[in-house]
Amino acid sequence: KFKTRSGEVTRLVDLLDEAVTRMEATLRERWDADVAAGKLEPYTDEELLETARVMGYGAVKYADLKGGRVNDYIFSYERMLDDKGNTAVYLLYAGARLSSIQRKAAATSGASAAELVASGAGVALSMPTELELALALARFGETVEFTTQTLLPNKLCEYVHDVCVKFTAFYLECKVIEEDAVNQSRLLLVRAAQLVIKKANELLGIGYVDKV
C-alpha cells in the first residue's frame, strides 16, 4: 500500500492497473496511426493488452528499483511511462527495435544471427559507437555479479539503461541494413545487445516485448 500526500491509502494493484490502462491508451493511439500509415500490420486487442501489461507493470517496478533502497522518489505516471527517459518503457522500446532489426534482416537477405554465430562469424568494430556498445555489453557479467553481491538492483538498472543509450547511438550512426545488404558484424552486435537487455530485464522482473 502507498499513501498519497493527502494521507489516503492507495493499493499497489490499483497503481499497476492504472499504469497498464495509460499504456494501453498510448499504444492504441500509436498503433492505429502506424496501421493507417501502412507501417504496422493490423493488430489484435490481445496483442495490445499484453504489450500494455508488460510495459505498465514494468514501468512501476523499474521506477521502484532504479532509485536504490534508501532513496525516496515522487510517484509520477508521466515520468514512469516516458519513452525517452530512464524508464522501463525506454528499455522496452530499445528491445523491440533490436527485434525489429533482426526481423528486417531476415526478410531482406535471410540473414540470421544464430546461423552466423554457428558458422563462426566474428564482429569487426570500426565505428566509435560500435566499440562503445560492445564494451558496455562486455560488462554485463561483472555488473550482475556486483548486483547480487551488494543486493543493489539499481546498479543493474543503471547498467541496462546505459546499454540502451549506447545502442541508440549505434543505431543512429551505423546501418545494419543498407538497400539489399546486411552488415553481418553489426547484426551480431544487435543480437548480443538483445540477449543482454532481455536477460537484464528478466532479472529485474520487467519483461520484454518484441514489438511496440
Side-chain angles (χ1 to χ4, degrees):
K1 295 181 178 180
F2 290 86
K3 281 189 177 181
T4 64
R5 288 182 178 179
S6 63
E8 297 176 353
V9 174
T10 301
R11 298 185 306 163
L12 176 58
V13 66
D14 294 330
L15 298 177
L16 291 168
D17 288 346
E18 177 64 19
V20 172
T21 298
R22 292 184 180 219
M23 200 69 244
E24 179 189 351
T26 298
L27 287 174
R28 190 178 296 278
E29 180 179 357
R30 180 170 297 178
W31 287 14
D32 284 347
D34 286 347
V35 169
K39 298 178 181 179
L40 182 70
E41 293 294 323
Y43 62 89
T44 65
D45 282 341
E46 288 76 12
E47 289 177 308
L48 179 70
L49 291 172
E50 177 59 18
T51 303
R53 185 192 65 79
V54 172
M55 300 185 80
Y57 286 1
V60 176
K61 291 179 183 179
Y62 185 81
D64 192 44
L65 293 171
K66 74 174 183 179
R69 293 194 301 258
V70 298
N71 297 328
D72 294 329
Y73 67 89
I74 298 174
F75 190 94
S76 167
Y77 287 114
E78 287 71 22
R79 293 182 185 179
M80 289 180 183
L81 301 177
D82 184 1
D83 62 4
K84 297 181 176 62
N86 182 7
T87 65
V89 175
Y90 175 74
L91 307 186
L92 291 165
Y93 267 104
R97 177 165 284 167
L98 286 160
S99 296
S100 175
I101 291 171
Q102 292 176 79
R103 288 194 299 270
K104 289 178 181 177
T108 299
S109 66
S112 163
E115 292 174 355
L116 290 175
V117 171
S119 70
V123 175
L125 306 173
S126 59
M127 300 293 288
T129 51
E130 291 176 312
L131 180 60
E132 289 173 6
L133 176 57
L135 290 174
L137 296 175
R139 300 199 323 270
F140 179 57
E142 65 186 60
T143 303
V144 172
E145 183 178 4
F146 178 81
T147 300
T148 55
Q149 288 177 345
T150 60
L151 301 180
L152 295 173
N154 58 300
K155 297 302 180 181
L156 184 56
C157 292
E158 292 172 6
Y159 168 78
V160 69
H161 177 256
D162 181 60
V163 168
C164 289
V165 169
K166 286 182 168 54
F167 161 67
T168 300
F170 158 82
Y171 174 79
L172 293 174
E173 183 179 69
C174 302
K175 295 280 188 182
V176 179
I177 304 167
E178 197 161 7
E179 296 180 355
D180 294 329
V182 174
N183 186 307
Q184 294 184 349
S185 173
R186 290 174 180 169
L187 181 61
L188 286 172
L189 194 56
V190 163
R191 177 60 173 165
Q194 181 194 38
L195 292 174
V196 166
I197 292 171
K198 183 178 286 190
K199 177 55 69 173
N201 286 7
E202 178 186 328
L203 293 172
L204 293 169
I206 63 174
Y208 188 87
V209 293
D210 286 309
K211 180 179 73 173
V212 177

